[in-house]
Amino acid sequence: MAAIGISGLVKRFGAVTAIEALDLNVGAGEFFTLLGPSGCGKTTLLRIIAGFERQNAGDLHVAGRLANDIPAHRRDMGMVFQNYAIFPHMSVFDNVAYGLTQRKFKQREIEAKVSRALELVRLEGYGRRFPDQLSGGQKQRVVLARALVIEPQVLLMDEPLSALDAKVRVGLRRDIRLVQQQLGITTLYVTHDQEEALVVSDRIMVMEAGEIRQLGSPREVYEDPANLFVATFIGTSNLLGGRVDRSAGGSVVLAQGARLDLPDLQAADGTELRLALRPEHLTVLDDGPVAGGLVVLEGVVELVSYLGSQSRIAVRIPGVAEVVEVEAPSAAPASASPPGRAVRLGFRPESAFLFAAANGERVR
Amino acid sequence: MAAPAGSRLLDLWTVLTLAALAVLAIFVLWPLANVFTASFYGEFSRSFGLENYATFFGSGYFRRALWHSLFTSAMGTLLALALGLPLAVIAARYDFRGKATLRVLVLLSLISPPFIGAYAWIMLLGRQGLVTQALAEIGIALPTIYGAPGIILVTALNLYPLVFLLVHGALLRIDRSLEEASLGLGRTRFQTFRSITLPLTLPAMATGALLVFLGVLSDFGTPALLGENYPVLATLAFTLFLSEIGGNPAMASTTSVVLVTVALVLILLQRWVASRRNYASDAINRPEILRMTGWQLLIFPAFAWGLMAIANLPLAIIVYTSFLETSGPVFLQSFSLDSYRQVFHLVRGAIVNSFAFSGMALALIVVVGSVVGYIISRRDTTLTRVLDTALMIPYVIPGTVLGIGFITAFNQPPIWITGTVAIIVAAYFIRRLPYMVRACASYVYQIDRSVEEASINLGAPPARTFMKIMLPLMAPGILAGAVLAWVEVINELSATVVLYTGTTSTMPIATYSQVLAGSYGPAAAVASLLILATTLSLVLFTVIGGSDRELTV
C-alpha cells in the first residue's frame, strides 16, 4: 500500500494553475524527491500534503485514508522548512519537545524521546542551548529532530538545505539520508538542486510548470532523460541543432555539418532535432588519426576552468549557438590549452540523446 | 467539494475579524455617520440639504477658523521640520556624545501632551509669565504668545520628534555602500548627501511632515489654552457643540466634517507618498559615523542640547512650580506642598478616574489589538483588508469630533452610555487601538510564517499556536504598543473634554480646568502627576524592552 496516494490533483491560485491533474504514489519507506525550478509547483504540492494549502480538485490519501479534510494540525506529518522555522524563544529541548507536549506525553517519556532524537541528529548535550547560539546547520538538525521525534507517518522537507553553506549542505544531506534509512520513514523532499536530488533520493519526480516531466530513479533521470527539459535541468548537457536526413548515408545531419548514423532513430525525415551530449561523453582528440565511429566537431578553445582533478574546457564551434563544454583530466595536455587554440572534439553517436525540436520529446 | 481543509482554523479568524469590524462599525462608523448626517440638517430650517455648508463657507468667522487651522498646521509642520531634520542628521551621522540621553529627551518631549506644554509656555511667556515680567521690568516687551505664534511654537516643539524619529531611522537604514559608491564616483560628501542621502530619506520626511500636520490639526488642548480669540476648527467644533447641546448640533457637526475631510485628504496623501516612494532596505552596513570638525564642534552640540532644553523646559517648569506656594495665578517665592494637598483634596476623584479609565482601556487595547494586529498581518482576505483600512479612521478622527459623535450616537437606546464611565473607556479604547494593532503587526511581519506552520504541523491547533508561539514572539511589539497607548490615553484631553461629567473627570481635565480658572498651583501639581505617570512608563519600557527599540507611530 502506498504511503501517499495522489489522484487527479489540481491547484489553482486565481487564474494561475500551479498543479495540473497530477497522479502520484509514494511507497512506504521511500525517499521521494520533488525536483524542479522555482515556480514549478513542487512546494505547493508539499504544502497541500501538509495541509497548509487546499487543492481545487483531486484526492490525497495517506496510508490508505482519505486525508482531504484532515486539518493541518492533525495530519501527523513532520515538516522541515527552508528557513528553519525554529521557535526562537524556546531552548533546543523545548523545540524538540513541542510536538510531544502537544501529544500529552509524560515528562519522563518526553525527556527520553528528546534525548534519543538529539542523539540521532548528533546534537546530544545541546538541549539547554537557545537557537541564537546555534549555527545554521545545527538549527536545521534541531528542526529535523523536532519533526522526527513525534514519529510521524511522513517526513516532509521543503528545501531544507538551501539556506546553508555548501560544505554544511553536503554533510547534512548525507546525515538526512542516513537517518531516513535508519528509521525507514517515508520522506518527501523538495529541492531545486539537481545534484542534491541525485544524491539522496530513491526516486525523483522532475516537475515543470505544475506537470510531471519524468519520474524515476536518479540513474534513470540522469542516464535516460525522457525529454529535453530533464536532459538540461539535470546535469550539464551540450545542445546541438540537427535534422533527420536519411538521403545521403547516416540518418542525422547536424546543423554544424557532421553526420551521424543512428539506425534506431524513431523520427521521420525532415524532423528538426536537438541533440544533447554530456560533457563526459565528449573527448578532446589529439592530432593523430580518429578512431572509427567517432563523430568529430571542430572548434576553438574559449575558456578553460580548473576544477581540481578535472578541468572544464569551453569550446566555440561554428554553427553551434552555445559553447560546448568538455571535461578532461587537469593533467591532460588539452587542459593547458590557451584560448584561441583550434581543437577537435569527438563523441560516439550512441551516447547522444536526441529530442524533437518541436516538443522536446525524446526520439532516441 | 467539502469545506476547505482546516476550515475550523479559517472560521476562528473569520469570526474574530467580523467581531472587530462590528466593534469599529459601532464605535467609529455609527458616531461618524451621526455627525455626518447632522451636518446636513439645516441649523435653522431643520431640513436636509447643504444649508450648513453654505453657512460655513459663507461666513468669514467659519472660514477664518478653517484658515487658522491650515495656517497653524502648515507653519507648525515647517518649524518641526526645521528642528527635527538637522537633529536627525546630527544624531544619525556624527560622532556625537550622549546620543542615548538625547533619544530619551526627544521621546519625553513627544509623549508629554501639548496642553501641558501650552500651559508651561503661558507660565513663561504669557501675560503674567515669568520671562515676560522679568523682561518687562527692564523695558522689553515680548510679542504675544497667544494665538497663532504660541500654537505653532508649542505644537512644533511637541511634534518635531515625529520628524526626528522617522528621518533618523531612515538615515540609519541607508546602506553605507550607496554613499561610498557615490564618493567613489567622484562626488564630494556634500554632493553625495544632496543627491543620494536626502532623496532616500524623502519618504520618511514626507510621512513625518504629514503626521505633524495631522497632529497640529487635531490638537485641542493647545489652541484651547493659547487660542483665546483665535479659533481653530477643533476648538470651534467644541464650543459650538457645548452651546448647541440639547438643541441641534448642526454647525458643530459641519465644522467636524470639514475638519475630518482635511485630515482624510492628508492621510490619503501620506499613504500615496509612502506607496509611491519606498526605498525600504535593511542596511547591511550601517552608515559611517563622521567626526565633527571645526564649526561643527560648536554648532551641532549647541543646536541639539539647546533644542532639548527648550523642548523639555515646560516639563521642568511645571514640576518646579508645582512645589511653589501660590496665590491664584501668582507664584510666590517659597516652596510648599500646598498645591499637592489641594489637588489630593479637590480632585482625588480625577486622579483615581484617570488610572482606572486608562487601565481599563489599556486592557481592552492589549487584548483586542494583539489579535487584530495578528489578523491583519497574517490573514490576507478582503475582510481583513477592510479591517486594516477601517482602523485608519479612528487614527485620523480628531478627539473632539469623536467625542461629539459619541454623544450624538450613544445618548439613546440601544446604546445609552452618555455620561458614564463606559463612554470614556470606549473612546480611549477605539482612539488608541490602531497604535497597538500597528505595533503588533510590524512584529508579526518579521516573524516567518513557517514558524507558525511548524507549530501547527507538530499538532498545535491555530488558537494554541497563537498563544504558545505568536504571542511570546509579538511581546516586544505588544509592549511598545501598550506604552504608547498608555501614554496617549492617560493624557487624553480632546475627547474627554466633550464626554466627561462631574463624576468622570480625569487628570488632564483637572489640569485644563484649573488653568482656565487661574489656579496655576494645583494645575501644576496635577500636570506633574501626569508627567510622572508618563515618564515612569517610558522608563519601564526602556528597562524592559532594551534601549534599542524605537517608539514609532
Side-chain angles (χ1 to χ4, degrees):
Chain A
M1 181 181 58
I4 293 177
I6 287 169
S7 52
L9 190 124
V10 176
K11 176 67 187 176
R12 282 183 291 267
F13 292 106
V16 182
T17 301
I19 295 173
E20 181 74 63
L22 189 123
D23 296 297
L24 171 68
N25 284 303
V26 179
E30 199 175 6
F31 198 118
F32 191 91
T33 297
L34 311 177
L35 173 67
S38 57
C40 74
K42 56 191 193 301
T43 293
T44 303
L45 180 57
L46 197 77
R47 291 174 60 78
I48 289 172
I49 294 169
F52 295 133
E53 305 277 357
R54 167 77 192 206
Q55 68 268 35
N56 296 93
D59 285 330
L60 167 70
H61 286 84
V62 179
R65 262 182 71 209
L66 186 65
N68 291 357
D69 295 324
I70 301 177
H73 65 275
R74 295 225 208 92
R75 290 219 175 173
D76 196 26
M77 294 176 177
M79 184 145 173
V80 177
F81 296 84
Q82 179 172 1
N83 32 17
Y84 318 129
I86 198 163
F87 305 137
H89 59 305
M90 294 183 186
S91 67
V92 168
F93 181 93
D94 289 338
N95 260 281
V96 178
Y98 190 84
L100 298 171
T101 320
Q102 187 62 36
R103 284 166 177 73
K104 309 259 185 288
F105 278 94
K106 290 199 183 70
Q107 186 59 30
R108 188 178 303 166
E109 278 179 277
I110 292 179
E111 278 168 24
K113 279 173 185 284
V114 169
S115 78
R116 269 207 305 281
L118 287 177
E119 227 170 277
L120 193 66
V121 297
R122 300 196 284 121
L123 280 178
E124 50 273 75
Y126 278 71
R128 294 164 90 170
R129 299 231 191 155
F130 273 82
D132 56 6
Q133 299 167 296
L134 302 177
S135 68
Q138 288 170 331
K139 282 183 199 163
Q140 205 56 296
R141 284 169 198 275
V142 172
V143 172
L144 180 62
R146 184 176 74 182
L148 289 171
V149 78
I150 58 170
E151 294 169 31
Q153 299 186 52
V154 183
L155 180 64
L156 306 175
M157 305 184 99
D158 185 8
E159 309 226 5
L161 303 180
S162 60
L164 302 171
D165 293 342
K167 199 148 201 176
V168 180
R169 204 152 59 206
V170 171
L172 193 51
R173 80 183 178 204
R174 187 179 53 228
D175 287 358
I176 288 174
R177 179 58 161 156
L178 283 174
V179 167
Q180 188 269 337
Q181 284 177 335
Q182 203 175 329
L183 301 177
I185 185 170
T186 310
T187 301
L188 253 78
Y189 190 95
V190 163
T191 185
H192 65 265
D193 182 332
Q194 44 94 17
E195 186 194 327
E196 197 173 296
L198 293 177
V199 171
V200 295
S201 316
D202 289 320
R203 279 199 298 161
I204 297 173
M205 180 167 97
V206 187
M207 293 179 76
E208 187 201 11
E211 291 181 43
I212 304 176
R213 287 285 173 257
Q214 189 171 4
L215 203 164
S217 71
R219 185 176 285 271
E220 281 163 359
V221 294
Y222 185 82
E223 295 183 4
D224 194 12
N227 47 54
L228 188 58
F229 174 77
V230 175
T232 48
F233 190 73
I234 296 179
T236 307
S237 284
N238 296 301
L239 295 181
L240 306 172
R243 189 163 37 80
V244 181
D245 181 357
R246 296 186 176 89
S247 60
S251 51
V252 174
V253 59
L254 295 180
Q256 154 281 342
R259 299 193 73 90
L260 285 68
D261 190 23
L262 295 162
D264 55 346
L265 180 64
Q266 309 277 326
D269 261 23
T271 309
E272 290 293 328
L273 296 175
R274 304 283 273 161
L275 180 141
L277 284 168
R278 298 292 192 197
E280 63 269 26
H281 290 144
L282 284 158
T283 44
V284 181
L285 304 173
D286 51 30
D287 295 338
V290 178
L294 275 188
V295 180
V296 178
L297 304 169
E298 288 180 352
V300 170
V301 173
E302 189 167 282
L303 185 73
V304 177
S305 310
Y306 176 75
L307 306 173
S309 65
Q310 294 278 308
S311 288
R312 190 162 276 208
I313 306 161
V315 178
R316 175 70 65 190
I317 293 170
V320 179
E322 298 289 321
V323 289
V324 169
E325 300 209 316
V326 197
E327 274 185 12
S330 291
S335 300
S337 307
R341 171 180 290 181
V343 286
R344 294 189 302 164
L345 306 177
F347 67 94
R348 311 202 68 80
E350 60 273 20
S351 68
F353 309 129
L354 271 71
F355 305 96
N359 60 7
E361 287 311 310
R362 182 87 177 266
V363 292
R364 194 209 156 269
Chain B
M1 173 154 292
S7 57
R8 298 185 333 155
L9 169 156
L10 264 172
D11 282 354
L12 171 68
W13 301 122
T14 311
V15 166
L16 288 173
T17 309
L18 288 171
L21 279 170
V23 167
L24 285 176
I26 294 169
F27 290 105
V28 181
L29 292 184
W30 173 238
L32 276 186
N34 269 287
V35 171
F36 195 68
T37 322
S39 76
F40 288 103
Y41 281 97
E43 191 185 4
F44 305 108
S45 67
R46 304 250 161 164
S47 61
F48 194 85
L50 290 172
E51 181 192 326
N52 297 330
Y53 289 93
T55 310
F56 188 97
F57 290 103
S59 135
Y61 180 65
F62 286 106
R63 277 205 313 263
R64 238 184 342 266
L66 172 60
W67 165 246
H68 289 168
S69 272
L70 294 175
F71 177 73
T72 50
S73 302
M75 297 314 279
T77 307
L78 282 181
L79 186 55
L81 280 172
L83 299 174
L85 280 180
L87 190 67
V89 174
I90 294 172
R93 288 305 169 83
Y94 285 92
D95 168 29
F96 180 78
R97 282 173 177 278
K99 281 185 187 175
T101 318
L102 187 83
R103 286 180 63 84
V104 172
L105 289 174
V106 168
L107 286 180
L108 206 58
S109 46
L110 174 64
I111 63 180
S112 51
F115 71 87
I116 284 188
Y119 160 47
W121 285 108
I122 290 176
M123 286 198 289
L124 287 169
L125 301 176
R127 276 178 210 101
Q128 277 119 21
L130 300 170
V131 179
T132 317
Q133 290 190 332
L135 289 177
E137 275 175 34
I138 54 170
I140 300 174
L142 282 180
T144 178
I145 191 173
Y146 299 96
I151 297 174
I152 293 165
L153 176 76
V154 169
T155 49
L157 283 176
N158 180 231
L159 296 172
Y160 83 89
L162 292 173
V163 176
F164 170 82
L165 289 173
L166 284 160
V167 176
H168 184 260
L171 282 171
L172 289 183
R173 277 194 301 274
I174 296 174
D175 199 284
R176 180 179 188 153
S177 54
L178 293 179
E179 289 171 8
E180 286 173 349
S182 166
L183 292 170
L185 291 168
R187 297 291 183 97
T188 66
R189 212 168 264 291
F190 181 71
Q191 287 170 330
T192 298
F193 184 79
R194 227 188 41 202
S195 58
I196 305 291
T197 315
L198 218 50
L200 286 174
T201 53
L202 213 57
M205 222 183 296
T207 305
L210 282 160
L211 287 174
V212 173
F213 197 104
L214 210 57
V216 185
L217 186 73
S218 355
D219 189 19
F220 169 81
T222 311
L225 292 178
L226 279 171
E228 297 204 334
N229 297 318
Y230 190 83
V232 295
L233 292 177
T235 48
L236 182 63
F238 173 70
T239 333
L240 288 170
F241 186 70
L242 279 199
S243 60
E244 283 169 336
I245 209 153
N248 174 16
M251 286 317 293
S253 299
T254 310
T255 310
S256 297
V257 171
V258 173
L259 180 53
V260 169
T261 308
V262 176
L264 212 60
V265 168
L266 279 166
I267 209 79
L268 291 177
L269 196 67
Q270 189 264 320
R271 291 208 124 182
W272 181 71
V273 169
S275 69
R276 228 175 119 254
R277 297 183 156 237
N278 189 1
Y279 312 112
S281 68
D282 265 324
I284 303 160
N285 302 304
R286 285 216 157 189
E288 186 186 1
I289 300 294
L290 304 174
R291 283 197 163 278
M292 293 183 284
T293 51
W295 57 272
Q296 296 172 338
L297 280 166
L298 188 68
I299 299 297
F300 287 180
F303 173 77
W305 296 119
L307 176 57
M308 288 308 101
I310 292 173
N312 289 292
L313 186 62
L315 300 184
I317 288 293
I318 282 166
V319 176
Y320 172 71
T321 53
S322 73
F323 292 105
L324 290 180
E325 211 166 324
T326 54
S327 158
V330 181
F331 288 99
L332 306 174
Q333 289 306 311
S334 53
F335 286 99
S336 113
L337 290 175
D338 275 357
S339 295
Y340 287 94
R341 271 188 218 105
Q342 269 177 286
V343 161
F344 283 116
H345 183 66
L346 286 172
V347 294
R348 186 200 302 269
I351 298 169
V352 174
N353 283 348
S354 263
F355 284 98
F357 300 170
S358 306
M360 285 188 269
L362 187 65
L364 284 172
I365 289 171
V366 167
V367 173
V368 178
S370 54
V371 173
V372 172
Y374 167 79
I375 290 176
I376 63 161
S377 49
R378 267 297 192 266
R379 316 273 142 197
D380 188 25
T381 65
T382 313
L383 271 185
T384 58
R385 278 194 292 272
V386 170
L387 182 59
D388 193 8
T389 312
L391 272 166
M392 291 300 290
I393 305 174
Y395 185 76
V396 180
I397 303 303
T400 327
V401 176
L402 191 78
I404 293 173
F406 265 42
I407 299 247
T408 37
F410 303 135
N411 65 350
Q412 64 213 357
I415 305 175
W416 199 342
I417 52 172
T418 298
T420 65
V421 174
I423 200 168
I424 293 183
V425 174
Y428 289 1
F429 162 69
I430 212 72
R431 280 201 79 193
R432 298 313 172 201
L433 180 65
Y435 282 39
M436 181 57 94
V437 171
R438 287 279 148 243
C440 286
S442 69
Y443 268 82
V444 174
Y445 281 124
Q446 290 168 33
I447 304 168
D448 199 288
R449 199 180 280 264
S450 59
V451 171
E452 209 178 336
E453 289 178 346
S455 165
I456 292 174
N457 175 260
L458 291 166
R464 191 178 155 81
T465 295
F466 179 76
M467 300 297 287
K468 291 264 291 182
I469 303 295
M470 295 311 284
L471 269 189
L473 295 179
M474 286 159 65
I478 297 176
L479 180 69
V483 169
L484 210 58
W486 169 260
V487 163
E488 290 285 339
V489 159
I490 199 158
N491 290 310
E492 215 290 333
L493 175 68
S494 55
T496 321
V497 80
V498 184
L499 297 172
Y500 86 101
T501 62
T503 54
T504 56
S505 174
T506 61
M507 286 199 277
I509 295 289
T511 312
Y512 172 70
S513 29
Q514 299 287 345
V515 174
L516 287 189
S519 314
Y520 284 7
V526 189
S528 296
L529 292 178
L530 272 177
I531 292 168
L532 182 71
T534 305
T535 315
L536 277 184
S537 52
L538 183 66
V539 170
L540 191 77
F541 173 73
T542 318
V543 170
I544 298 178
S547 54
D548 217 26
R549 302 248 176 272
E550 272 184 40
L551 270 179
T552 49
V553 278

